[in-house]
Amino acid sequence: MPPRVSDVMTAAPLSLPLDATLYEAARVMRDEGIGDVLVTYAGRLCGVVTDRDIVVRAVAESRDTSLTPLGDVCTAELTTVRPEDDTGTVARLMCEQAVRRLPVVDAEQRPVGIVSIGDLAVANGDVGPLSEISKAPPNN
């Protein structure tokens, strides 16, 4: 039986409210060595913003990152998983949705974790570059 999401996810993912700015999100990503921040409204997951979103949807469009709220550029249509889901389900969803990470939410849609393709590789004991890259500390 494959492990559960709760066994492999990164718990307590970083999140910012919908009205936080892109500048705030970029600073959090830099300071924490991560590539995405979950976006919440009233504590519930409502989107995700990635470093690529900031570049493609904001900087390339000449938006002022200190004024532009996350709600203007975040991806709002998300596939999510629950802590009790098995990692086989997560891998299938990642393939179907062509995504590298999925937010983990509780029954009230509050973010409780995030699971990445690298987390799955490490959990499955995969040997190779993806597993090694996933174990390495971020290169800030």
Side-chain angles (χ1 to χ4, degrees):
M1 181 171 170
R4 295 182 331 159
V5 169
S6 60
D7 297 328
V8 301
M9 71 181 190
T10 299
L14 291 172
S15 65
L16 289 171
L18 190 63
D19 60 352
T21 65
L22 295 175
Y23 174 75
E24 292 173 90
R27 286 186 56 106
V28 166
M29 289 181 204
R30 181 200 64 195
D31 294 349
E32 299 298 325
I34 57 176
D36 63 272
V37 173
L38 300 179
V39 181
T40 59
Y41 179 75
R44 291 188 165 85
L45 182 67
C46 65
V48 65
V49 66
T50 67
D51 48 6
R52 186 175 191 284
D53 292 331
I54 293 171
V55 171
V56 173
R57 296 179 183 171
V59 175
E61 299 292 327
S62 296
R63 292 182 186 228
D64 185 339
T65 59
S66 64
L67 298 176
T68 305
L70 297 179
D72 286 2
V73 299
C74 73
T75 300
E77 293 189 26
L78 300 175
T79 299
T80 61
V81 294
R82 300 287 176 97
E84 61 273 9
D85 289 340
D86 67 73
T87 56
T89 299
V90 173
R92 181 182 52 77
L93 286 170
M94 286 180 174
C95 287
E96 288 173 1
Q97 301 295 318
V99 295
R100 296 179 178 151
R101 60 183 72 89
L102 290 172
V104 183
V105 296
D106 65 15
E108 286 80 39
Q109 293 295 80
R110 290 184 302 247
V112 296
I114 193 157
V115 62
S116 72
I117 194 168
D119 295 331
L120 298 181
V122 171
N124 291 332
D126 292 348
V127 177
L130 181 58
S131 178
E132 292 305 312
I133 292 167
S134 298
K135 292 177 190 174
N139 59 353
N140 296 342

